[in-house]
Amino acid sequence: MSENEATTDKIERLITPLETHPPAPEFVAGTKVPADLRERAAADRLGYWAEQARELEWATPFTEVLDWSNAPFAKWFADGELNASVNCLDRHVAAGRGDRVAIHFVGEPGDTRDVTYAELHREVQRAANVLESLGVTAGDRVAIYLPMIPETVVAMLACARIGAVHSVIFGGFSSDAIRQRVDDAGAKLVITANGSNRKGRVLPLKEAVDAALERPGHTVEHVLVIERPDHEVEWVEGRDLRWHDAMAAADDVHEARAFGAEHPLFILYTSGTTGTPKGLLHTTGGYLAQVAATHRTSFDLRDDDVYWCTADVGWVTGHSYIVYGPLANGATQVMYEGAHDFPTLDRWFEIVERYGVTIFYAAPTAIRGFMRSGREIPQRHDLSSIRLLGSVGEPINPEAWEWYREVIGGGTAPIVDTWWQTETGAHMIAPLPTQDALKAGSGQKPVPGVVVEVIAEDGRRVDPGEMGLLTITEPWPAMARGIWGDDDRFIETYWSQFPGRYFAGDGAGVDLDGDLWLLGRVDDVMNVSGHRLSTAEIEGALVEHRFTAEAAVVGAADETTGQAVVAFVVLKESQREAAAETDAVAALREWVGRIIGRIARPRDLYIVDELPKTRSGKIMRRLLKDVAEGRQVGDTSTLTDASVMQAIAGGVAGGAHDD
Ligand code: WTA
């Protein structure tokens, strides 16, 4: 089902009494989540967050909870001091839990490795010593461009241990995108691998870093290279260092020092409505408190759980719900390196079966993909260990929700649909599975301690049964503390449309019971397989190509990926001949892959004579979206020339696109 249909389906649900799934008594038995948690948090929000923060280990306990005097730049627990890596490792080892498995790692080629908390602790101490020996100190930025392997977690926690700020760059980004991020953050060190195993092939990571750093004028002093696949890479003497050699030479004891709660922990870049990605800055104490708390409450975490989040660490879900949340909670988790369909679509289910996964957290795109390939595949496996399912990254359509519960969750597992963003750092809307009667496709309620309001364009709160814009009215501990190097952009992007409120860019509905239904973005940010992409950024890449005069990009509904990138390009008069001699469509798609990364390559790219524009020169994306989704083109009365749309629609129907 497409996102549009999903949205329509959801809108109907706002005013329809629905079947609900209350928690089964067997499920609730033994939970550690207090039954009155939400009420307690509502009665004393700051007290609730302080209580959650006290679950962490503080070297200096905090006495202040929130300082909002410089809004929207929050300070949480500011006079407290702690170390994030100590909270994720040392304290568990000290509590006698060192032998517990932190990570059951499964490599794509089929190799496996269990890493205990004690082992992870030693590796992180070694890595912290390595980083310090390279002159990395507190506050320095370290770029991390790595596959889904335990060393990535080691690298991130080693940065945290010494107070360096990591900036993880998703492996699907290109060398240009790496360079942009390295420059923006002024990274001193890059940690990468000789390659990443992907669908039986090697993705060249080191080559991308080399290309990114080819042009002088960057801030990088060293590149640390982890050897993962069997793949030779070029070596820049003096700059490049082998991770394994450096680790072998390093001491495995590292005395961690505590940092202020507001010490920067990481920067993570994400797409917005304008051309350049934004580096969202997260700090230590509040972030850690909220990711750990929500990981416990949204998933009803218990001691014997085997948790698996299938996201990539290159996105915020990996930061918060693979690295910091689960490790702060001392959980046991699965980490898988490769593609879900390699070597076959059985891979994920084999892993669930092998490790007895109890909590499974994935994106709707994957669920819809499995729905399409048929229930026989999961049904070949024993998935009975699963007791709770999570969903993240994009709206989940009720049909996929039902299928997920029935086929993967054995008809009984609660589904926790978690809405949040890179900017929010942690879950913001999610049902409490131990108390809420679930509704297929609804995020239901803000997590305890979070206050949201759905409002109309004029700022009025919408009534039950209506749709509007999702805003957050009170500060929360894991909120981004700004955009790296650009405070004004932070205020302008998130806090100016509705003064005093954070506006997320998402639409939401409120049903007759007051439950929330997330409806996707209302701005020009696309969501492809749960990955955020900006239409403006892709348009920017397209117009950099010598063929292109003008480009427009839209996110079109896609049955599996939620949305897909569809581009319309007008060629330069002077380049038409050159373009005709090559496969211009393929060349332009590849170009976007080169400039941004393969995740941004348009699914369809149409060469058109003109773009539909209003009299004031604004491109009418709505009309292009109609074409891209194969719909009757809507109202064209504001166009300067309505025949433009006929020509475009005719060309598209004629099959001028690339498959
Ligand atoms: C979308 C990913 C509906 C939303 C954690 C948001 C969702 C954007 C959900 C953030 C959900 C995320 N239901 N939509 N459960 N979760 N989104 O920063 O549009 O990569 O604004 O963070 O994903 O994407 P980001």
Side-chain angles (χ1 to χ4, degrees), residues 563-588:
Q563 286 187 306
V565 180
V566 177
F568 297 83
V569 175
V570 179
L571 298 178
K572 278 185 196 142
E573 204 63 61
S574 60
Q575 295 289 332
R576 294 213 171 160
E577 229 166 277
E581 281 162 19
T582 60
D583 183 349
V585 168
L588 287 164

Side-chain angles (χ1 to χ4, degrees), residues 270 316-317 391-396 417-423 504 506 518 520-521 527 530 532:
T270 189
V316 74
T317 305
S391 175
V392 61
E394 34 174 339
I396 182 162
D417 178 17
T418 62
W419 178 91
W420 57 296
Q421 308 176 301
T422 305
E423 293 84 346
D506 277 63
L518 283 316
R521 304 287 305 196
N527 192 325
R532 256 166 92 165

